[in-house]
Amino acid sequence: MSADGQRLTIRDVAARAGVSRAAVSLAFNNKPGVSETTRAHILRTAEVMGWEPNRSARARGSRGTGAGTGTVGLAIRRPARQLGLEPFYMDFISGIGSVLTERTGALLLRLVRDLDEEIELQRHWWRSGQIAGSVLVDLQRDDPRVPALAKLGMPVIAVGHPSLTGPFTALWTDDGTAVTEAVRYLAALGHRSIAHVGGPAELGHSALRTEAFTAAMTELGLTDARRRVTDYSGDDGARATRSLLASATRPTAIMYDNDLMAVAGLSVAAEMGLRVPADVSLLAWDDSQLCRLTHPPLSAMSHDIHAFGAEVARAMYDVLGGERVAGRQVPTPSLTPRGSTGPPPPP
């Protein structure tokens, strides 16, 4: 694969190096028949042209027929310790894996520190033939991965709203509608001061949820809308909760953008001597076992994350099989009321 994403051939390298195609083949495959000097010259030439060794040609499977055993790449920008605690990604990955197992495929998972590192990793995976295609998650607005990977011609399924995913097939949930439902539910219980503990501001889905929260509060005439930005970790969720509950006029309800932060918020409320839901109501996103094992159990915006991951994997295999796959919305998260929400305390 050349630096611009075009596939190199033995003929290209042979022409540039001034040797025969047979010599290039022997050098690439580390076979006897060429001198070490010639082999080094060929490999240096190929490297300058952007070639990387194909360590796993089988990874691509039979993309043209859809019957292959393709390896799918997934890079996630999370610290390893935090990823192990996040129920969302554990369920999502297991859903992808369930389909890959049926197709005798595999998932190549890597944790990266930033977008630049991920772009270089994705390029390396594709050029070296380690993956048949990739799943993009945590899309940002004007995400630099979109043009970079589109230039490579790599098959991609993007998990995010179509406004974020450029030319790639998008699978997404209607987060705006779900947030609006949550705000209306809390308002119907009588809450007028509602806070939102969201994820990183640069993430596209965080921005969409924040916009929906602000619009829903405005529509209902609720002016006491407070927001806190976090990194999705339990520690950050706890800090945001402590800040909100320690304010002079604390909110009577808090919505969290994941279940890990909501569980941390429940612990903070107990630590501060507040009763849930008698003093403050809590509502989580991404329902999981965590929400059902707390006391009281957490109300949550629920959706089948395992099924979402499986749908993403099936869409990837459709693309690898040469099908034109339209983006589609998967079922919107729906409210599951439990013991952590109730009417606000009397004034």
Side-chain angles (χ1 to χ4, degrees), residues 55-336:
R55 297 183 180 88
S56 178
R58 187 172 180 267
R60 296 198 195 283
S62 305
R63 270 208 306 261
T65 66
T69 57
T71 294
V72 175
L74 173 63
I76 300 176
R77 296 189 308 282
R78 290 283 196 287
R81 186 178 296 274
Q82 182 177 334
L83 183 68
L85 296 173
E86 271 194 73
F88 174 87
Y89 271 119
M90 295 301 98
D91 274 356
F92 183 71
I93 291 169
S94 72
I96 292 176
S98 68
V99 174
L100 296 183
T101 299
E102 293 172 2
R103 310 290 183 96
T104 63
L107 179 67
L108 184 54
L109 173 66
R110 278 279 296 274
L111 304 184
V112 294
R113 290 165 294 187
D114 52 42
L115 290 175
D116 289 339
E117 182 180 353
E118 180 176 347
I119 290 170
E120 287 308 308
L121 174 66
Q122 298 276 9
R123 283 174 177 157
H124 171 69
W125 277 348
W126 179 244
R127 291 171 181 168
S128 62
Q130 294 185 61
I131 60 172
S134 198
V135 175
L136 284 189
V137 295
D138 289 339
L139 274 294
Q140 300 184 7
R141 284 182 170 156
D142 300 318
D143 196 306
R145 293 174 297 172
V146 172
L149 301 192
K151 185 177 180 181
L152 290 177
M154 178 195 297
V156 168
I157 298 297
V159 179
H161 191 271
S163 63
L164 308 170
T165 59
F168 298 134
T169 299
L171 268 70
W172 74 98
T173 57
D174 186 357
D175 289 7
T177 295
V179 168
T180 301
E181 180 187 2
V183 172
R184 288 175 176 168
Y185 162 71
L186 292 171
L189 291 175
H191 293 279
R192 295 294 176 265
S193 176
I194 303 171
H196 176 222
V197 177
E202 67 272 14
L203 293 183
H205 64 266
S206 292
L208 291 170
R209 291 179 192 181
T210 296
E211 290 166 6
F213 173 75
T214 302
M217 292 289 284
T218 300
E219 174 194 327
L220 294 169
L222 306 180
T223 57
D224 193 2
R226 299 179 230 182
R227 296 186 292 107
R228 295 291 186 274
V229 175
T230 71
D231 62 5
Y232 279 138
S233 70
D235 287 344
D236 234 18
R239 278 191 288 272
T241 304
R242 196 171 287 111
S243 166
L244 290 166
L245 296 183
S247 60
T249 54
R250 64 173 181 259
T252 61
I254 305 175
M255 296 168 47
Y256 296 86
D257 262 10
N258 72 4
D259 40 11
L260 189 60
M261 294 195 297
V263 171
L266 184 61
S267 295
V268 168
E271 163 198 312
M272 298 179 71
L274 297 174
R275 298 164 299 160
V276 176
D279 297 314
V280 59
S281 287
L282 306 181
L283 179 64
W285 192 283
D286 292 333
D287 195 9
S288 71
Q289 284 292 333
L290 284 180
C291 295
R292 295 185 282 276
L293 294 175
T294 59
H295 182 73
L298 287 162
S299 297
M301 301 307 295
S302 307
H303 62 125
D304 192 336
I305 300 165
H306 182 277
F308 189 12
E311 186 74 5
V312 167
R314 281 191 286 269
M316 173 60 75
Y317 274 112
D318 288 344
V319 169
L320 297 182
E323 296 184 30
R324 293 179 60 85
V325 179
R328 53 188 177 270
Q329 179 182 307
V330 301
T332 300
S334 59
L335 180 67
T336 302

